[in-house]
Amino acid sequence: GQQVMQIPQYQHVQEGEDFTTYCNSSTTLSNIQWYKQRPGGHPVFLIQLVKSGEVKKQKRLTFQFGEAKKNSSLHITATQTTDVGTYFCAGRNSGGGADGLTFGKGTHLIIQP
Amino acid sequence: GAGVSQSPSNKVTEKGKDVELRCDPISGHTALYWYRQSLGQGLEFLIYFQGNSAPDKSGLPSDRFSAERTGGSVSTLTIQRTQQEDSAVYLCASSPGPGGRGYTFGSGTRLTVV
């Protein structure tokens, strides 16, 4: 079945440093979504990417979808303490369970002030 | 409602007892999902409802787990004869429909089996 891998599992950064998490799928995706989960909270939808090579920005966050639609990345510029949390990617293919959406295991972002 | 509502927010139960977890999705959302999240871990898919179609139960870990969705709205996840390994946060999410929309998650039910 489809697998979605995320790296790194944990990332410690100093406040103000940049952060990147990577997502790789074993199959070609129709689209990919990103979610953020604050400590003690629930996942919150951030964005969806659909097109090959697509790049979207939300303030300090930059999301990319690979040309082959099998990988994606989330980059945060100049991290702030409010960025703390776990970032999940979720890839969708044309079939499979849960409307075809498979979540990665997430990257835990820890920020040291 | 304005968001996805789950109840109870916390549930402590004795091993062997049955529990029911409730999810009230956003009004008008036809798709409803149940996930399980163990401490510090990722999201484990359990079951997916879409409109009046037969649910996708491919993620249910055992026959002790079942779920239903009445009238295309409220859903109940039932765990029979609970085991300690069932302890986790059970998250419900809804979306406007299949394919291409972000999920809105509820705050979850934290289940502790003692």
Coordinates of all heavy atoms in Angstrom, one line a residue, chain A residues 4-58:
Chain A
V4 N 3.9 7.0 3.2 CA 4.3 8.4 3.2 C 5.3 8.6 4.4 O 5.0 8.3 5.5 CB 3.2 9.4 3.4 CG1 3.7 10.8 3.6 CG2 2.2 9.3 2.2
M5 N 6.6 8.9 4.0 CA 7.6 9.0 5.0 C 8.0 10.5 5.2 O 8.0 11.2 4.2 CB 8.9 8.3 4.5 CG 8.6 6.8 4.0 SD 8.0 5.8 5.4 CE 9.5 5.7 6.4
Q6 N 8.2 10.8 6.4 CA 8.6 12.2 6.8 C 9.9 12.2 7.5 O 10.1 11.3 8.4 CB 7.6 12.8 7.7 CG 6.5 13.7 7.0 CD 5.7 14.5 7.9 OE1 4.6 14.0 8.3 NE2 6.1 15.7 8.2
I7 N 10.8 13.1 7.2 CA 12.0 13.3 7.9 C 12.3 14.8 8.1 O 11.9 15.6 7.3 CB 13.2 12.6 7.2 CG1 13.4 13.2 5.7 CG2 13.1 11.1 7.2 CD1 14.6 12.7 5.1
P8 N 13.0 15.1 9.2 CA 13.3 14.3 10.3 C 12.1 14.0 11.2 O 11.1 14.6 11.1 CB 14.4 15.1 11.0 CG 14.0 16.5 10.8 CD 13.4 16.5 9.4
Q9 N 12.3 13.1 12.1 CA 11.2 12.8 13.1 C 11.2 14.0 14.1 O 10.1 14.4 14.6 CB 11.5 11.5 13.8 CG 10.3 11.1 14.7 CD 10.5 9.7 15.4 OE1 11.5 9.1 15.1 NE2 9.6 9.3 16.2
Y10 N 12.4 14.4 14.5 CA 12.5 15.5 15.5 C 13.5 16.5 14.9 O 14.5 16.2 14.3 CB 13.0 15.0 16.9 CG 12.0 14.2 17.6 CD1 12.0 12.8 17.5 CD2 11.1 14.7 18.4 CE1 11.1 12.0 18.1 CE2 10.2 14.0 19.1 CZ 10.2 12.6 19.0 OH 9.3 11.8 19.7
Q11 N 13.2 17.8 15.2 CA 14.2 18.9 14.8 C 14.2 19.9 15.9 O 13.2 20.5 16.2 CB 13.7 19.5 13.5 CG 14.7 20.6 13.0 CD 16.0 20.0 12.4 OE1 16.0 19.2 11.5 NE2 17.1 20.4 13.0
H12 N 15.4 20.1 16.4 CA 15.6 21.2 17.4 C 16.3 22.3 16.7 O 17.3 22.1 16.0 CB 16.6 20.7 18.5 CG 16.0 19.6 19.4 ND1 15.9 18.3 19.0 CD2 15.4 19.7 20.6 CE1 15.3 17.6 20.0 NE2 15.0 18.4 21.0
V13 N 15.8 23.5 16.9 CA 16.4 24.7 16.3 C 16.4 25.8 17.3 O 15.6 25.8 18.2 CB 15.6 25.2 15.0 CG1 15.6 24.1 13.9 CG2 14.2 25.7 15.3
Q14 N 17.3 26.7 17.1 CA 17.3 28.0 17.9 C 16.3 28.9 17.3 O 16.1 29.0 16.1 CB 18.7 28.6 17.9 CG 19.8 27.8 18.5 CD 19.7 27.9 20.1 OE1 19.1 28.8 20.6 NE2 20.3 26.9 20.7
E15 N 15.6 29.7 18.1 CA 14.7 30.6 17.6 C 15.4 31.6 16.6 O 16.5 32.1 16.9 CB 14.1 31.5 18.8 CG 13.0 32.4 18.4 CD 12.3 33.1 19.6 OE1 12.9 33.0 20.7 OE2 11.3 33.8 19.4
G16 N 14.7 31.8 15.5 CA 15.3 32.6 14.5 C 15.9 31.8 13.4 O 16.2 32.3 12.3
E17 N 16.3 30.5 13.6 CA 16.8 29.7 12.6 C 15.7 29.2 11.7 O 14.5 29.2 12.0 CB 17.6 28.5 13.2 CG 18.8 28.9 13.9 CD 19.6 27.7 14.5 OE1 18.9 26.6 14.7 OE2 20.8 27.8 14.8
D18 N 16.1 28.7 10.5 CA 15.2 28.1 9.6 C 14.9 26.6 9.9 O 15.7 26.0 10.6 CB 15.7 28.3 8.1 CG 15.7 29.7 7.7 OD1 15.3 30.6 8.4 OD2 16.2 29.9 6.5
F19 N 13.8 26.1 9.3 CA 13.4 24.7 9.6 C 12.8 24.2 8.3 O 12.1 24.9 7.6 CB 12.4 24.7 10.7 CG 11.5 23.4 10.7 CD1 12.0 22.2 11.2 CD2 10.2 23.5 10.3 CE1 11.3 21.1 11.2 CE2 9.4 22.3 10.3 CZ 10.0 21.1 10.8
T20 N 13.2 22.9 8.0 CA 12.6 22.2 6.8 C 12.2 20.8 7.2 O 13.0 20.1 7.8 CB 13.5 22.2 5.6 OG1 14.0 23.6 5.3 CG2 12.9 21.6 4.4
T21 N 11.0 20.4 6.8 CA 10.6 19.0 6.9 C 10.3 18.5 5.5 O 9.8 19.2 4.7 CB 9.4 18.8 7.8 OG1 9.0 17.5 7.8 CG2 8.3 19.8 7.5
Y22 N 10.6 17.2 5.3 CA 10.5 16.6 4.0 C 9.5 15.4 4.0 O 9.5 14.6 5.0 CB 11.9 16.1 3.5 CG 12.9 17.2 3.4 CD1 13.7 17.5 4.5 CD2 13.0 17.9 2.2 CE1 14.7 18.5 4.4 CE2 14.0 18.9 2.1 CZ 14.8 19.2 3.2 OH 15.7 20.2 3.1
C23 N 8.8 15.3 3.0 CA 7.8 14.2 2.9 C 8.0 13.5 1.6 O 8.2 14.1 0.5 CB 6.4 14.9 2.9 SG 5.0 13.8 2.9
N24 N 8.1 12.1 1.6 CA 8.3 11.3 0.4 C 7.3 10.2 0.4 O 7.0 9.5 1.4 CB 9.7 10.7 0.5 CG 10.8 11.7 0.3 OD1 11.0 12.3 -0.8 ND2 11.4 12.1 1.4
S25 N 6.7 10.0 -0.8 CA 5.7 9.0 -1.0 C 6.3 7.9 -1.9 O 7.1 8.1 -2.8 CB 4.5 9.6 -1.7 OG 3.6 8.6 -2.1
S26 N 5.8 6.7 -1.6 CA 6.2 5.5 -2.4 C 5.5 5.5 -3.8 O 5.8 4.8 -4.7 CB 5.9 4.2 -1.7 OG 4.6 4.1 -1.3
T27 N 4.4 6.3 -3.9 CA 3.6 6.3 -5.1 C 3.4 7.8 -5.5 O 3.5 8.7 -4.7 CB 2.2 5.6 -4.9 OG1 1.5 6.3 -3.9 CG2 2.4 4.2 -4.5
T28 N 3.0 7.9 -6.8 CA 2.7 9.3 -7.3 C 1.4 9.8 -6.7 O 0.4 9.0 -6.6 CB 2.5 9.3 -8.8 OG1 3.8 8.8 -9.4 CG2 2.2 10.7 -9.3
L29 N 1.4 11.0 -6.2 CA 0.2 11.5 -5.5 C -0.6 12.4 -6.4 O -0.1 13.1 -7.3 CB 0.7 12.4 -4.3 CG 1.6 11.6 -3.3 CD1 2.2 12.6 -2.3 CD2 0.8 10.5 -2.6
S30 N -1.9 12.5 -6.2 CA -2.7 13.4 -6.9 C -2.6 14.8 -6.2 O -2.7 15.8 -6.9 CB -4.2 13.0 -6.9 OG -4.7 12.8 -5.6
N31 N -2.5 14.8 -4.9 CA -2.3 16.1 -4.2 C -1.7 15.8 -2.8 O -1.6 14.6 -2.4 CB -3.5 16.9 -4.0 CG -4.6 16.2 -3.3 OD1 -4.5 15.8 -2.1 ND2 -5.8 16.0 -3.9
I32 N -1.2 16.8 -2.2 CA -0.6 16.6 -0.8 C -1.1 17.7 0.1 O -1.3 18.9 -0.4 CB 0.9 16.5 -0.9 CG1 1.5 16.0 0.4 CG2 1.5 17.9 -1.2 CD1 2.9 15.4 0.3
Q33 N -1.3 17.4 1.3 CA -1.8 18.4 2.3 C -0.8 18.4 3.4 O -0.1 17.5 3.7 CB -3.2 18.0 2.8 CG -4.2 17.9 1.8 CD -5.6 17.5 2.3 OE1 -5.7 17.2 3.5 NE2 -6.6 17.5 1.4
W34 N -0.8 19.6 4.1 CA 0.1 19.8 5.3 C -0.8 20.2 6.5 O -1.7 21.0 6.3 CB 1.2 20.8 5.0 CG 2.3 20.3 4.2 CD1 2.4 20.4 2.8 CD2 3.5 19.6 4.6 NE1 3.5 19.8 2.4 CE2 4.2 19.3 3.5 CE3 3.9 19.2 5.9 CZ2 5.5 18.7 3.6 CZ3 5.2 18.6 6.0 CH2 5.9 18.3 4.8
Y35 N -0.5 19.7 7.6 CA -1.2 20.0 8.9 C -0.2 20.3 9.9 O 0.9 19.8 10.0 CB -2.1 18.8 9.3 CG -3.2 18.4 8.4 CD1 -3.0 17.7 7.2 CD2 -4.5 18.8 8.8 CE1 -4.1 17.4 6.4 CE2 -5.6 18.5 7.9 CZ -5.3 17.8 6.8 OH -6.4 17.5 5.9
K36 N -0.7 21.2 10.9 CA 0.1 21.5 12.1 C -0.7 21.1 13.3 O -1.9 21.4 13.4 CB 0.5 23.0 12.1 CG 1.2 23.4 13.4 CD 1.4 24.9 13.5 CE 2.2 25.3 14.7 NZ 2.4 26.7 14.8
Q37 N 0.0 20.5 14.3 CA -0.6 20.1 15.5 C 0.3 20.7 16.6 O 1.4 20.3 16.9 CB -0.7 18.6 15.7 CG -1.4 18.1 16.9 CD -1.5 16.6 17.0 OE1 -0.8 15.8 16.4 NE2 -2.6 16.1 17.7
R38 N -0.3 21.6 17.4 CA 0.3 22.2 18.5 C 0.3 21.2 19.7 O -0.5 20.3 19.7 CB -0.4 23.5 19.0 CG -0.3 24.6 18.0 CD -1.0 25.8 18.5 NE -1.0 26.9 17.5 CZ -0.1 27.8 17.4 NH1 1.0 27.8 18.3 NH2 -0.2 28.8 16.5
P39 N 1.3 21.3 20.6 CA 1.3 20.4 21.7 C 0.0 20.4 22.5 O -0.5 21.4 22.8 CB 2.4 20.9 22.6 CG 3.3 21.6 21.6 CD 2.4 22.2 20.6
G40 N -0.6 19.2 22.7 CA -1.9 19.1 23.3 C -3.1 19.4 22.5 O -4.2 19.4 23.0
G41 N -2.9 19.8 21.2 CA -4.0 20.2 20.4 C -4.3 19.1 19.3 O -3.8 18.0 19.4
H42 N -5.0 19.5 18.3 CA -5.4 18.6 17.3 C -4.9 19.1 15.9 O -4.5 20.3 15.8 CB -6.9 18.5 17.2 CG -7.7 19.8 17.0 ND1 -8.0 20.6 18.1 CD2 -8.1 20.4 15.9 CE1 -8.6 21.6 17.6 NE2 -8.7 21.6 16.3
P43 N -4.7 18.3 14.9 CA -4.2 18.8 13.7 C -5.1 19.8 13.0 O -6.3 19.7 13.0 CB -4.1 17.5 12.8 CG -4.1 16.4 13.8 CD -5.0 16.8 14.9
V44 N -4.4 20.8 12.5 CA -5.1 21.9 11.8 C -4.6 22.0 10.4 O -3.4 22.0 10.1 CB -4.9 23.3 12.5 CG1 -5.5 24.4 11.7 CG2 -5.4 23.2 13.9
F45 N -5.5 22.0 9.4 CA -5.1 22.0 8.0 C -4.4 23.3 7.7 O -4.9 24.4 8.0 CB -6.4 21.9 7.2 CG -6.2 22.1 5.7 CD1 -5.6 21.1 5.0 CD2 -6.7 23.2 5.0 CE1 -5.4 21.2 3.6 CE2 -6.6 23.3 3.7 CZ -5.9 22.3 2.9
L46 N -3.3 23.2 7.0 CA -2.5 24.4 6.6 C -2.7 24.7 5.1 O -3.1 25.8 4.7 CB -1.0 24.2 6.8 CG -0.6 24.1 8.3 CD1 0.9 23.8 8.3 CD2 -0.9 25.3 9.0
I47 N -2.5 23.7 4.2 CA -2.5 24.0 2.8 C -2.6 22.7 2.0 O -2.3 21.6 2.5 CB -1.2 24.7 2.4 CG1 -1.4 25.6 1.2 CG2 -0.1 23.8 2.2 CD1 -0.4 26.7 1.0
Q48 N -3.0 22.8 0.7 CA -3.0 21.7 -0.2 C -2.3 22.1 -1.4 O -2.4 23.2 -1.9 CB -4.4 21.3 -0.5 CG -4.5 20.2 -1.6 CD -5.9 19.7 -1.8 OE1 -6.4 18.8 -1.1 NE2 -6.6 20.2 -2.8
L49 N -1.4 21.2 -2.0 CA -0.7 21.4 -3.2 C -1.2 20.3 -4.2 O -1.4 19.2 -3.8 CB 0.8 21.2 -3.0 CG 1.4 22.1 -1.9 CD1 2.9 21.7 -1.7 CD2 1.3 23.6 -2.3
V50 N -1.4 20.8 -5.4 CA -2.0 19.9 -6.4 C -1.1 19.7 -7.7 O -1.0 18.6 -8.2 CB -3.4 20.4 -6.8 CG1 -4.0 19.5 -7.9 CG2 -4.3 20.5 -5.6
K51 N -0.5 20.8 -8.1 CA 0.2 20.8 -9.4 C 1.7 20.4 -9.2 O 2.3 20.7 -8.2 CB 0.2 22.1 -10.0 CG -1.3 22.6 -10.3 CD -1.2 24.0 -10.9 CE -2.7 24.5 -11.1 NZ -2.6 25.9 -11.6
S52 N 2.2 19.7 -10.2 CA 3.6 19.3 -10.2 C 4.5 20.6 -10.1 O 4.2 21.5 -10.9 CB 3.9 18.6 -11.5 OG 5.3 18.4 -11.8
G53 N 5.4 20.6 -9.2 CA 6.3 21.7 -9.1 C 5.7 22.9 -8.4 O 6.4 24.0 -8.3
E54 N 4.5 22.8 -7.8 CA 3.8 23.9 -7.2 C 4.6 24.4 -6.0 O 5.1 23.6 -5.2 CB 2.4 23.5 -6.9 CG 1.5 24.7 -6.4 CD 0.1 24.3 -6.3 OE1 -0.2 23.0 -6.3 OE2 -0.8 25.2 -6.2
V55 N 4.6 25.7 -5.8 CA 5.1 26.4 -4.6 C 4.1 27.3 -4.1 O 3.5 28.1 -4.8 CB 6.4 27.1 -5.0 CG1 7.0 27.8 -3.7 CG2 7.5 26.2 -5.5
K56 N 3.8 27.2 -2.8 CA 2.9 28.2 -2.2 C 3.5 28.7 -0.9 O 4.3 28.0 -0.2 CB 1.6 27.5 -1.8 CG 0.7 27.2 -3.0 CD -0.7 26.7 -2.5 CE -1.6 26.4 -3.7 NZ -3.0 25.9 -3.3
K57 N 3.2 30.0 -0.6 CA 3.7 30.6 0.6 C 2.6 31.1 1.5 O 1.6 31.6 1.0 CB 4.6 31.8 0.2 CG 5.9 31.3 -0.5 CD 6.9 32.5 -0.7 CE 8.2 32.0 -1.3 NZ 9.2 33.1 -1.3
Q58 N 2.9 31.0 2.8 CA 2.0 31.5 3.8 C 2.9 32.2 4.8 O 3.5 31.6 5.6 CB 1.2 30.5 4.5 CG 0.1 29.8 3.7 CD -0.6 28.7 4.5 OE1 -0.3 28.4 5.6 NE2 -1.7 28.2 4.0

